[in-house]
mmCIF file of all heavy atoms in Angstrom:
data_model
loop_
_atom_site.group_PDB
_atom_site.id
_atom_site.type_symbol
_atom_site.label_atom_id
_atom_site.label_comp_id
_atom_site.label_asym_id
_atom_site.label_seq_id
_atom_site.Cartn_x
_atom_site.Cartn_y
_atom_site.Cartn_z
ATOM 1 N N LEU A 118 7.615 -1.176 8.947
ATOM 2 C CA LEU A 118 6.857 -0.106 8.292
ATOM 3 C C LEU A 118 6.395 -0.621 6.955
ATOM 4 O O LEU A 118 7.206 -1.100 6.149
ATOM 5 C CB LEU A 118 7.759 1.137 8.135
ATOM 6 C CG LEU A 118 7.164 2.390 7.488
ATOM 7 C CD1 LEU A 118 5.890 2.844 8.191
ATOM 8 C CD2 LEU A 118 8.223 3.500 7.487
ATOM 9 N N LEU A 119 5.099 -0.537 6.719
ATOM 10 C CA LEU A 119 4.496 -0.967 5.418
ATOM 11 C C LEU A 119 4.028 0.281 4.680
ATOM 12 O O LEU A 119 3.189 1.031 5.192
ATOM 13 C CB LEU A 119 3.314 -1.907 5.653
ATOM 14 C CG LEU A 119 2.485 -2.322 4.444
ATOM 15 C CD1 LEU A 119 3.342 -3.128 3.445
ATOM 16 C CD2 LEU A 119 1.273 -3.128 4.863
ATOM 17 N N ALA A 120 4.587 0.545 3.512
ATOM 18 C CA ALA A 120 4.275 1.731 2.729
ATOM 19 C C ALA A 120 3.489 1.339 1.492
ATOM 20 O O ALA A 120 3.995 0.617 0.625
ATOM 21 C CB ALA A 120 5.551 2.483 2.352
ATOM 22 N N LEU A 121 2.217 1.818 1.429
ATOM 23 C CA LEU A 121 1.325 1.426 0.357
ATOM 24 C C LEU A 121 1.009 2.553 -0.612
ATOM 25 O O LEU A 121 0.235 2.370 -1.530
ATOM 26 C CB LEU A 121 0.007 0.890 0.955
ATOM 27 C CG LEU A 121 0.133 -0.296 1.899
ATOM 28 C CD1 LEU A 121 -1.218 -0.652 2.470
ATOM 29 C CD2 LEU A 121 0.748 -1.486 1.181
ATOM 30 N N GLY A 122 1.574 3.712 -0.373
ATOM 31 C CA GLY A 122 1.302 4.862 -1.251
ATOM 32 C C GLY A 122 2.618 5.539 -1.682
ATOM 33 O O GLY A 122 3.694 4.971 -1.505
ATOM 34 N N PRO A 123 2.495 6.764 -2.217
ATOM 35 C CA PRO A 123 3.721 7.503 -2.504
ATOM 36 C C PRO A 123 4.548 7.619 -1.233
ATOM 37 O O PRO A 123 4.015 7.716 -0.136
ATOM 38 C CB PRO A 123 3.191 8.871 -2.951
ATOM 39 C CG PRO A 123 1.825 8.575 -3.492
ATOM 40 C CD PRO A 123 1.263 7.460 -2.638
ATOM 41 N N LEU A 124 5.887 7.646 -1.374
ATOM 42 C CA LEU A 124 6.751 7.504 -0.206
ATOM 43 C C LEU A 124 7.128 8.854 0.465
ATOM 44 O O LEU A 124 8.091 8.961 1.173
ATOM 45 C CB LEU A 124 8.021 6.752 -0.622
ATOM 46 C CG LEU A 124 7.778 5.265 -0.871
ATOM 47 C CD1 LEU A 124 8.965 4.607 -1.583
ATOM 48 C CD2 LEU A 124 7.452 4.522 0.413
ATOM 49 N N THR A 125 6.285 9.821 0.235
ATOM 50 C CA THR A 125 6.565 11.185 0.748
ATOM 51 C C THR A 125 6.687 11.202 2.283
ATOM 52 O O THR A 125 7.677 11.761 2.802
ATOM 53 C CB THR A 125 5.414 12.126 0.367
ATOM 54 O OG1 THR A 125 5.034 11.928 -1.002
ATOM 55 C CG2 THR A 125 5.834 13.585 0.600
ATOM 56 N N ASN A 126 5.800 10.565 3.007
ATOM 57 C CA ASN A 126 5.892 10.589 4.474
ATOM 58 C C ASN A 126 7.152 9.910 4.974
ATOM 59 O O ASN A 126 7.843 10.404 5.878
ATOM 60 C CB ASN A 126 4.673 9.900 5.108
ATOM 61 C CG ASN A 126 3.403 10.647 4.927
ATOM 62 O OD1 ASN A 126 3.398 11.910 4.746
ATOM 63 N ND2 ASN A 126 2.270 9.957 5.009
ATOM 64 N N VAL A 127 7.513 8.809 4.305
ATOM 65 C CA VAL A 127 8.708 8.060 4.770
ATOM 66 C C VAL A 127 9.972 8.888 4.481
ATOM 67 O O VAL A 127 10.895 8.968 5.294
ATOM 68 C CB VAL A 127 8.754 6.692 4.099
ATOM 69 C CG1 VAL A 127 9.977 5.887 4.589
ATOM 70 C CG2 VAL A 127 7.471 5.896 4.322
ATOM 71 N N ALA A 128 9.991 9.530 3.318
ATOM 72 C CA ALA A 128 11.152 10.352 2.984
ATOM 73 C C ALA A 128 11.262 11.552 3.927
ATOM 74 O O ALA A 128 12.367 11.887 4.383
ATOM 75 C CB ALA A 128 11.057 10.847 1.548
ATOM 76 N N ARG A 129 10.125 12.128 4.306
ATOM 77 C CA ARG A 129 10.158 13.269 5.210
ATOM 78 C C ARG A 129 10.616 12.814 6.625
ATOM 79 O O ARG A 129 11.320 13.517 7.327
ATOM 80 C CB ARG A 129 8.770 13.943 5.282
ATOM 81 C CG ARG A 129 8.447 14.724 4.013
ATOM 82 C CD ARG A 129 7.044 15.269 4.010
ATOM 83 N NE ARG A 129 6.792 16.114 5.160
ATOM 84 C CZ ARG A 129 5.659 16.167 5.858
ATOM 85 N NH1 ARG A 129 4.683 15.344 5.510
ATOM 86 N NH2 ARG A 129 5.489 16.963 6.891
ATOM 87 N N LEU A 130 10.237 11.592 6.985
ATOM 88 C CA LEU A 130 10.711 11.030 8.255
ATOM 89 C C LEU A 130 12.234 10.889 8.255
ATOM 90 O O LEU A 130 12.920 11.289 9.173
ATOM 91 C CB LEU A 130 10.051 9.666 8.510
ATOM 92 C CG LEU A 130 10.652 8.789 9.598
ATOM 93 C CD1 LEU A 130 10.357 9.405 10.985
ATOM 94 C CD2 LEU A 130 10.151 7.354 9.499
ATOM 95 N N LEU A 131 12.750 10.367 7.148
ATOM 96 C CA LEU A 131 14.216 10.148 7.045
ATOM 97 C C LEU A 131 14.955 11.489 7.066
ATOM 98 O O LEU A 131 16.041 11.619 7.641
ATOM 99 C CB LEU A 131 14.535 9.426 5.776
ATOM 100 C CG LEU A 131 13.992 7.964 5.651
ATOM 101 C CD1 LEU A 131 14.235 7.416 4.252
ATOM 102 C CD2 LEU A 131 14.677 7.094 6.706
ATOM 103 N N ARG A 132 14.347 12.539 6.486
ATOM 104 C CA ARG A 132 14.980 13.862 6.460
ATOM 105 C C ARG A 132 14.955 14.471 7.885
ATOM 106 O O ARG A 132 15.890 15.157 8.282
ATOM 107 C CB ARG A 132 14.261 14.777 5.485
ATOM 108 C CG ARG A 132 14.527 14.454 4.021
ATOM 109 C CD ARG A 132 13.853 15.492 3.134
ATOM 110 N NE ARG A 132 14.155 15.237 1.682
ATOM 111 C CZ ARG A 132 13.829 16.106 0.705
ATOM 112 N NH1 ARG A 132 13.163 17.246 1.017
ATOM 113 N NH2 ARG A 132 14.153 15.883 -0.543
ATOM 114 N N ALA A 133 13.881 14.139 8.627
ATOM 115 C CA ALA A 133 13.677 14.770 9.956
ATOM 116 C C ALA A 133 14.480 14.075 11.021
ATOM 117 O O ALA A 133 14.903 14.686 12.007
ATOM 118 C CB ALA A 133 12.214 14.734 10.304
ATOM 119 N N ASP A 134 14.702 12.745 10.847
ATOM 120 C CA ASP A 134 15.344 11.983 11.927
ATOM 121 C C ASP A 134 16.420 11.074 11.391
ATOM 122 O O ASP A 134 16.148 9.980 10.872
ATOM 123 C CB ASP A 134 14.269 11.128 12.637
ATOM 124 C CG ASP A 134 14.822 10.489 13.928
ATOM 125 O OD1 ASP A 134 16.054 10.402 14.041
ATOM 126 O OD2 ASP A 134 13.984 10.106 14.778
ATOM 127 N N PRO A 135 17.683 11.490 11.512
ATOM 128 C CA PRO A 135 18.796 10.683 10.951
ATOM 129 C C PRO A 135 18.868 9.256 11.556
ATOM 130 O O PRO A 135 19.456 8.371 10.997
ATOM 131 C CB PRO A 135 20.031 11.498 11.321
ATOM 132 C CG PRO A 135 19.533 12.890 11.613
ATOM 133 C CD PRO A 135 18.119 12.728 12.103
ATOM 134 N N ASP A 136 18.227 9.121 12.767
ATOM 135 C CA ASP A 136 18.292 7.771 13.398
ATOM 136 C C ASP A 136 17.199 6.851 12.862
ATOM 137 O O ASP A 136 17.187 5.648 13.167
ATOM 138 C CB ASP A 136 18.039 7.914 14.927
ATOM 139 C CG ASP A 136 19.220 8.608 15.611
ATOM 140 O OD1 ASP A 136 20.353 8.571 15.040
ATOM 141 O OD2 ASP A 136 19.010 9.226 16.665
ATOM 142 N N ALA A 137 16.264 7.400 12.039
ATOM 143 C CA ALA A 137 15.130 6.596 11.589
ATOM 144 C C ALA A 137 15.533 5.258 10.941
ATOM 145 O O ALA A 137 14.990 4.214 11.273
ATOM 146 C CB ALA A 137 14.270 7.390 10.612
ATOM 147 N N PRO A 138 16.554 5.235 10.058
ATOM 148 C CA PRO A 138 16.900 3.919 9.424
ATOM 149 C C PRO A 138 17.231 2.866 10.459
ATOM 150 O O PRO A 138 16.969 1.717 10.267
ATOM 151 C CB PRO A 138 18.114 4.275 8.577
ATOM 152 C CG PRO A 138 17.942 5.720 8.234
ATOM 153 C CD PRO A 138 17.357 6.345 9.473
ATOM 154 N N SER A 139 17.784 3.272 11.607
ATOM 155 C CA SER A 139 18.173 2.244 12.613
ATOM 156 C C SER A 139 16.965 1.849 13.480
ATOM 157 O O SER A 139 16.999 0.854 14.183
ATOM 158 C CB SER A 139 19.242 2.797 13.531
ATOM 159 O OG SER A 139 18.728 3.937 14.235
ATOM 160 N N LEU A 140 15.839 2.611 13.359
ATOM 161 C CA LEU A 140 14.684 2.320 14.190
ATOM 162 C C LEU A 140 13.638 1.448 13.471
ATOM 163 O O LEU A 140 12.770 0.890 14.048
ATOM 164 C CB LEU A 140 14.020 3.651 14.643
ATOM 165 C CG LEU A 140 14.896 4.555 15.485
ATOM 166 C CD1 LEU A 140 14.239 5.923 15.673
ATOM 167 C CD2 LEU A 140 15.179 3.904 16.872
ATOM 168 N N VAL A 141 13.786 1.413 12.110
ATOM 169 C CA VAL A 141 12.862 0.601 11.291
ATOM 170 C C VAL A 141 13.527 -0.748 11.057
ATOM 171 O O VAL A 141 14.569 -0.827 10.349
ATOM 172 C CB VAL A 141 12.525 1.294 9.957
ATOM 173 C CG1 VAL A 141 11.606 0.417 9.125
ATOM 174 C CG2 VAL A 141 11.895 2.669 10.213
ATOM 175 N N SER A 142 13.000 -1.806 11.649
ATOM 176 C CA SER A 142 13.658 -3.091 11.465
ATOM 177 C C SER A 142 13.448 -3.670 10.085
ATOM 178 O O SER A 142 14.286 -4.380 9.530
ATOM 179 C CB SER A 142 13.142 -4.099 12.522
ATOM 180 O OG SER A 142 11.776 -4.315 12.304
ATOM 181 N N ARG A 143 12.287 -3.339 9.494
ATOM 182 C CA ARG A 143 11.994 -3.828 8.141
ATOM 183 C C ARG A 143 11.006 -2.912 7.455
ATOM 184 O O ARG A 143 10.081 -2.426 8.074
ATOM 185 C CB ARG A 143 11.373 -5.264 8.224
ATOM 186 C CG ARG A 143 11.173 -5.906 6.876
ATOM 187 C CD ARG A 143 10.764 -7.355 7.020
ATOM 188 N NE ARG A 143 10.283 -7.866 5.752
ATOM 189 C CZ ARG A 143 9.166 -8.596 5.609
ATOM 190 N NH1 ARG A 143 8.432 -8.857 6.685
ATOM 191 N NH2 ARG A 143 8.762 -9.044 4.467
ATOM 192 N N LEU A 144 11.246 -2.663 6.170
ATOM 193 C CA LEU A 144 10.346 -1.797 5.379
ATOM 194 C C LEU A 144 9.826 -2.664 4.234
ATOM 195 O O LEU A 144 10.604 -3.323 3.527
ATOM 196 C CB LEU A 144 11.134 -0.592 4.845
ATOM 197 C CG LEU A 144 10.443 0.330 3.862
ATOM 198 C CD1 LEU A 144 9.226 1.011 4.505
ATOM 199 C CD2 LEU A 144 11.426 1.386 3.353
ATOM 200 N N VAL A 145 8.517 -2.655 4.086
ATOM 201 C CA VAL A 145 7.903 -3.314 2.941
ATOM 202 C C VAL A 145 7.175 -2.220 2.157
ATOM 203 O O VAL A 145 6.359 -1.471 2.688
ATOM 204 C CB VAL A 145 6.878 -4.396 3.390
ATOM 205 C CG1 VAL A 145 6.207 -5.052 2.149
ATOM 206 C CG2 VAL A 145 7.553 -5.457 4.222
ATOM 207 N N VAL A 146 7.545 -2.142 0.866
ATOM 208 C CA VAL A 146 7.034 -1.075 -0.014
ATOM 209 C C VAL A 146 6.284 -1.684 -1.178
ATOM 210 O O VAL A 146 6.798 -2.631 -1.866
ATOM 211 C CB VAL A 146 8.195 -0.226 -0.558
ATOM 212 C CG1 VAL A 146 7.730 0.746 -1.622
ATOM 213 C CG2 VAL A 146 8.854 0.552 0.608
ATOM 214 N N MET A 147 5.077 -1.171 -1.427
ATOM 215 C CA MET A 147 4.414 -1.468 -2.692
ATOM 216 C C MET A 147 4.786 -0.356 -3.647
ATOM 217 O O MET A 147 4.426 0.796 -3.403
ATOM 218 C CB MET A 147 2.857 -1.554 -2.559
ATOM 219 C CG MET A 147 2.210 -2.149 -3.772
ATOM 220 S SD MET A 147 2.112 -0.971 -5.174
ATOM 221 C CE MET A 147 2.909 -1.948 -6.471
ATOM 222 N N GLY A 148 5.532 -0.705 -4.709
ATOM 223 C CA GLY A 148 5.902 0.314 -5.664
ATOM 224 C C GLY A 148 6.875 -0.160 -6.683
ATOM 225 O O GLY A 148 7.467 -1.248 -6.518
#
Side-chain angles (χ1 to χ4, degrees):
L118 182 54
L119 173 64
L121 302 177
L124 289 167
T125 316
N126 289 338
V127 183
R129 289 174 57 220
L130 167 69
L131 294 172
R132 288 183 175 189
D134 190 340
D136 293 335
S139 62
L140 298 170
V141 178
S142 63
R143 185 171 168 228
L144 173 63
V145 179
V146 171
M147 192 283 127

